Amino acid sequence: MNHKVENVKIAYIGGGSQGWAKRLMNDLALEPRISGMVSLYDIHPEAARKNAEIGNRVSERPEAAGKWKYEATGDIKEALADADFVIISILPGSFDEMASDVHAPEKYGIYQSVGDTVGPGGMIRALRTIPIYKEIAQNIKAYAPDAWVINYTNPMTLCTRTLYEVFPEIKAFGCCHEVFEVQHLLADMVQEMTGRAVERRQDIHVNVLGINHFTWIDRASYQNIDLMPLYKEFVQKYAETGYEKEPGSWVNSVFSSANRVKFDLFNRYGLIAAAGDRHLAEFMPPVYLESPEKVKEWKFHLTPVDFRVKDQQMKVERNQKVAAGEENFELAPSGEEGVAIIAALLGLEELVTNVNMPNNGQIANLPHGAVVETNAVLRFNSVQPVLAGSLPVDLQGMISRHVANQEAVLKAAFEENRQLAFNAFVNDPLVAPIGLEQAEALFEEMIENTKSHVGGGFVRDRNAYASS
């Protein structure tokens, strides 16, 4: 008989989520070995209550093998009390602040395809996210110090880094699915180049090293095949046209690309860039993001915030129907690994996957303590990052610049040090070309647009906002 673990408690911070929460419900319902309770906490209690209704409806369905009780709460202490796992997936601020992150820099000729990790948008988003994560970390320390904490919020690196800065003993890591997509791409490559079908992306074994959304693979294999030479041939074949499983499909989704940026980076550095083109482009000088026309040439997209607003509204409307019992959603695996991670930490299986954790030597030539992304082995109550090795010196230089900026942004947020934050801001590869004077004007505008979420030390007239 298969072992089962009952009475597991998951605290979901951001439990009013219109996307991630549904993926969790799906995957929990399809996992027969675990059952328990999910406490949904959100600053928008009604959204959490709707999700609780949906979760309980899903759990009642006969095809739901995993049985869970969902409860909504506006009290984070109640959500965290006795939690075995804490999942964090929040939107820091609103779409208004996100619109500023992404679109304010366009007036200065800076284009961003995502705007949530690096670049001017990623940095300003971090400055308003870090205070939220300080508070979350303090609550976890007080009410759930032994829980495993799984972060999905971006900027992934700085969210995870903040948790450890506040609570060094926390058992936390960040999860990102970008590497999964590259495994799928490599599986497609194996099929095309060798005729051998790859049943699961997990059968593509990769060594991962870097920082979130600027992660690299220096070793890849499938069964007895070294994939690095094969990938070189694949890149040569598709460097100019790009590769898609269904040709032309990148045009139809703002989240899709033809992998041309990824292939160009391989030709530059000799390693497989293990993230989507939209993320990768933002870490580089404006080679790929020079203009909207240049973005189209590279066959990826700028993701406008108005698209996200409309997409969110569609999700809200659909979820209202599901909560009211007017519509069902199909129970199918989400492709995420959150529930597999929980199963591994409960001792039900062993899992190797990529995680974001403080560097304790897993990447030899990046700073100790900085949050890095590598594989880890997950077993009962254990997440052990693997020794991934060293980055090539040219990539080390690129990545170290971002690591230094992220550490400066963290320190600036904790100290409310405007000058330090600006110094990091202007050191970003997308910002540096516009010069100090324009960078100062852009920084001032973006800080003004997010002033209600950052400390008073960031605002020129401190007294005007000190009580907010």
Side-chain angles (χ1 to χ4, degrees):
M1 185 175 71
N2 290 333
H3 182 54
K4 293 186 178 182
V5 182
E6 299 177 338
N7 300 317
V8 174
K9 182 178 178 182
I10 300 171
Y12 196 120
I13 298 176
S17 157
Q18 302 301 315
W20 280 104
K22 309 306 175 302
R23 299 180 190 183
L24 178 70
M25 292 171 186
N26 243 327
D27 292 342
L28 286 174
L30 294 170
E31 173 51 76
R33 298 172 295 174
I34 315 171
S35 62
M37 194 262 279
V38 180
S39 183
L40 302 168
Y41 166 77
D42 203 284
I43 60 172
H44 303 291
E46 179 61 20
R49 189 185 67 78
K50 288 287 186 187
N51 276 350
E53 291 178 12
I54 293 170
N56 288 322
R57 285 186 180 276
V58 169
S59 192
E60 290 167 2
R61 289 165 64 170
E63 66 269 38
K67 297 300 181 182
W68 293 81
K69 180 181 180 182
Y70 290 82
E71 294 181 349
T73 178
D75 183 348
I76 194 169
K77 176 181 177 180
E78 180 182 342
L80 291 171
D82 301 317
D84 301 292
F85 299 92
V86 179
I87 293 174
I88 314 174
S89 176
I90 66 169
L91 173 65
S94 70
F95 283 121
D96 289 337
E97 285 87 11
M98 186 186 290
S100 172
D101 293 345
V102 175
H103 298 303
E106 293 174 355
K107 291 181 288 185
Y108 297 81
I110 299 173
Y111 296 93
Q112 300 166 104
S113 31
V114 187
D116 69 356
T117 300
V118 291
M123 288 188 167
I124 300 301
R125 179 180 171 116
L127 289 175
R128 68 171 177 272
T129 307
I130 288 168
I132 300 170
Y133 266 66
K134 285 174 62 178
E135 186 175 343
I136 290 172
Q138 289 161 353
N139 280 302
I140 292 171
K141 182 177 181 179
Y143 305 120
D146 296 322
W148 282 100
V149 181
I150 306 171
N151 177 63
Y152 286 107
T153 306
N154 289 323
M156 173 70 68
T157 300
L158 278 169
C159 290
T160 308
R161 179 73 178 82
T162 302
L163 295 175
Y164 277 93
E165 185 72 10
V166 174
F167 181 19
E169 295 77 28
I170 198 169
K171 300 190 300 187
F173 53 95
C175 289
C176 178
H177 58 212
E178 293 291 314
V179 173
F180 305 170
E181 297 306 315
V182 177
Q183 287 174 302
H184 285 300
L185 175 65
L186 293 175
D188 292 343
M189 177 196 75
V190 170
Q191 171 80 48
E192 175 167 328
M193 305 291 278
T194 73
R196 296 166 69 170
V198 180
E199 291 187 9
R200 307 179 312 146
R201 67 158 182 86
Q202 294 91 336
D203 295 331
I204 302 288
H205 297 288
V206 294
N207 185 57
V208 178
L209 68 172
I211 57 176
N212 185 241
H213 293 153
F214 204 48
T215 316
W216 300 79
I217 292 167
D218 63 354
R219 298 192 303 275
S221 63
Y222 172 66
Q223 296 178 351
N224 64 332
I225 306 172
D226 179 358
L227 297 184
M228 298 301 287
L230 201 64
Y231 190 76
K232 184 175 183 179
E233 293 179 33
F234 190 66
V235 168
Q236 289 173 344
K237 183 176 179 180
Y238 289 109
E240 294 301 318
T241 63
Y243 172 82
E244 303 164 275
K245 202 165 187 177
E246 298 177 8
S249 62
W250 77 272
V251 177
N252 300 321
S253 169
V254 296
F255 300 118
S256 296
S257 78
N259 297 293
R260 287 200 67 213
V261 173
K262 195 178 284 85
F263 296 161
D264 189 59
L265 290 172
F266 179 82
N267 284 330
R268 291 175 184 273
Y269 296 104
L271 270 62
I272 301 171
D277 284 12
R278 293 163 58 253
H279 284 298
L280 293 168
E282 294 187 327
F283 285 81
M284 299 292 291
V287 178
Y288 312 108
L289 288 165
E290 179 184 310
S291 66
E293 292 73 29
K294 183 65 70 174
V295 170
K296 287 181 181 177
E297 286 180 26
W298 285 101
K299 296 187 177 180
F300 67 106
H301 297 270
L302 304 174
T303 309
V305 173
D306 61 1
F307 168 84
R308 295 185 184 274
V309 172
K310 292 173 185 174
D311 183 62
Q312 179 82 342
Q313 185 56 43
M314 288 173 58
K315 288 176 180 175
V316 168
E317 291 171 0
R318 184 175 179 221
N319 289 341
Q320 288 173 342
K321 292 180 180 178
V322 174
E326 298 170 6
E327 184 177 320
N328 275 332
F329 65 83
E330 180 187 1
L331 284 183
S334 71
E336 301 294 340
E337 284 191 337
V339 174
I341 285 169
I342 290 171
L345 291 171
L346 290 171
L348 295 173
E349 59 188 59
E350 182 174 287
L351 177 68
V352 176
T353 192
N354 54 297
V355 302
N356 292 265
M357 293 184 75
N359 189 24
N360 193 28
Q362 55 262 43
I363 300 181
N365 55 352
L366 288 182
H368 185 274
V371 169
V372 298
E373 186 163 351
T374 67
N375 283 333
V377 181
L378 285 75
R379 303 185 183 97
F380 174 67
N381 204 31
S382 171
V383 178
Q384 187 61 54
V386 304
L387 294 177
S390 297
L391 289 157
V393 65
D394 46 0
L395 272 178
Q396 180 197 10
M398 283 293 303
I399 292 173
S400 293
R401 180 179 184 176
H402 289 290
V403 170
N405 285 343
Q406 289 168 340
E407 288 296 308
V409 168
L410 179 86
K411 185 176 175 66
F414 270 72
E415 297 178 356
E416 295 187 15
N417 186 328
R418 186 189 187 282
Q419 185 63 51
L420 179 57
F422 174 71
N423 291 345
F425 186 84
V426 79
N427 190 45
D428 184 90
L430 292 180
V431 179
I434 71 173
L436 282 170
E437 186 175 336
Q438 284 195 309
E440 175 67 36
L442 174 60
F443 184 78
E444 181 69 31
E445 178 182 345
M446 295 180 77
I447 287 290
E448 174 68 16
N449 290 341
T450 198
K451 64 188 178 186
S452 61
H453 297 278
V454 297
F458 288 103
V459 183
R460 286 295 194 193
D461 182 4
R462 184 184 180 103
N463 294 329
Y465 309 112
S467 61
S468 65

